[in-house]
Amino acid sequence: MQKYSIDIKGIHCTGCINLIKLIFEDDLSFTEVVVDSERNQATFKTQDKVEDVTKELNTIFKKDLVEYKYFNLTQI
């Protein structure tokens, strides 16, 4: 299991946090998802390799999270 973090632009409220967390857990099957609105960051775990995580994130941010932008995918 790998742990990753990303920066997210566009988080404004608890609803944003809940939406991102729900999509990461349900649609992407990420675990231990934490979305921090103060740091504009999310952390999560997955068994996927960084290349696959990038593809999954690109797809979900274009499809379901179009109001947000992610950057700085980092394996931690």
Side-chain angles (χ1 to χ4, degrees), residues 13-72:
C13 64
T14 304
C16 297
I17 292 168
N18 292 338
L19 176 64
I20 294 167
K21 185 173 170 55
L22 178 74
I23 289 173
F24 277 25
E25 291 173 345
D26 290 354
D27 293 355
L28 299 178
S29 300
F30 293 164
T31 61
E32 297 182 36
V33 177
V34 176
V35 181
D36 184 336
S37 62
E38 290 183 20
R39 297 178 66 199
N40 293 312
Q41 189 176 66
T43 58
F44 54 90
K45 287 187 176 180
T46 180
Q47 294 194 16
D48 298 336
K49 296 178 183 179
V50 69
E51 299 85 14
D52 296 327
V53 173
T54 300
K55 288 178 188 175
E56 293 169 329
L57 290 173
N58 287 341
T59 299
I60 211 73
F61 274 85
K62 287 179 183 173
K63 179 184 169 200
D64 296 319
L65 296 173
V66 295
E67 298 171 14
Y68 309 93
K69 303 286 185 232
Y70 89 92
F71 50 100
N72 293 337

